[in-house]
Amino acid sequence: MQYQITAPQTLTGTITLPASKSISNRALIISALGHNNQTPQNISVCDDTDVMVRALKEMPQTIDIGAAGTAMRFLTAYLAVTPGQHIITGTERMKHRPIGILVDALRTLGAKISYVEQEGFPPLDIQGAPFEGGSIALPGNVSSQYISALLMIGPTMQRGLQLHLQGDIISRPYIDLTLKMMRDFGADARWTGAQEITVAPQPYRSTDYLIENDWSAASYWYQMVALSRDPQAEILLPGLFADSAQGDSHVAELFRTLGVGTEFRTLADGSTAVRLFKQGEPATRMEHNFINQPDLAQTFVVTCSLLGIPFHFKGLQSLKIKETDRITALIHEMGKLGFVIRQAHDSEMFWNGERCPKDEQSGIDTYEDHRMAMAFAPAALVLPEVRINNPHVVSKSYPQYWNTLQQAGFKITEACL
């Protein structure tokens, strides 16, 4: 399937964002570990959260999490401390996403986990049992989801958990988000040194918890305001918090560089919202290290290129092991739009204004990656039309994405590939 997208002349509206899947999946795991009798409010409705809800509710012997990387990491740790035997598996791509670092750490703590197929990769056969706990070391430059997975099971351990992170620490905001949520549910979990986190053997408590909407999803609406030729472009996004713990809330500061203002509002019902609007002139060049916000990289590569703003982005090493190799995918698909994007050291991308012949008719391939579809669709605000191949991939995190684009005035027509 292919969607052909054309943009409206004006851009305005109130858009309902999905709830944060990062917060939802953490809340679900913490609630399950604490036997919480209060279901978190505003749970995300998307593929990644749906598989988590289903797995925790049904606990089948074989748990298929599809393409949900967060679910794979978090459930691996959860199953390791939960009595019973389970196999956890996923898509073919998931079977090629490494998990050895997490498995080794869990084994050090006493987990009984074996690889069903290839060493270091899912599927996993897990024999769950309580841990005694103790001290463990882990490289700081691994996926924050490994670290969060270990931290969340810490309160269940008899001796708690002392986690020593070695070297540079990447995606620190996601670790901080996990620690904050653990404390929200009654745990004693905190940084006790520059490289050390301590989790006390203090159980979670039942908590009435409201999940914030997703700042990662908000980034595409920032992108649309930045790309729109409408000087009065304005979007209202309810359900975002000014004091958000989501790392991608940094998008507000980053898009200020590209001429988008942010205003926090309190609505009549007492809830909060963010108003996006045109403000000032975009920068003539952008440089940023995305080590703490890797999921925003695609948004900014597309936006800066279409605005004609040369860029140099660093800290992108985790993009190589996401739903697809996002660096390679971005370079190829931006080439279809006429931009020569280059990479360095498997962790940097830059564009110095170099152009190439376009190939827009074949459409933007999405590589089973939701963020490829969502980051490229706003290009319709600059180009006469954008074609997105296999657009259904947005169901992973933002199932209503295409509906909300139509709500904002975009025209979407369906064609067969």
Side-chain angles (χ1 to χ4, degrees), residues 156-204:
T156 71
M157 302 180 197
Q158 296 175 21
R159 294 167 50 202
L161 177 68
Q162 296 79 45
L163 184 58
H164 302 272
L165 299 177
Q166 302 168 329
D168 294 336
I169 301 173
I170 67 172
S171 299
R172 186 184 286 261
Y174 286 98
I175 301 173
D176 290 337
L177 171 64
T178 301
L179 292 172
K180 178 185 182 300
M181 291 186 63
M182 291 171 67
R183 292 193 295 270
D184 289 343
F185 281 85
D188 182 356
R190 61 193 70 252
W191 291 95
T192 49
Q195 306 282 128
E196 180 181 85
I197 302 171
T198 300
V199 182
Q202 177 174 309
Y204 294 114

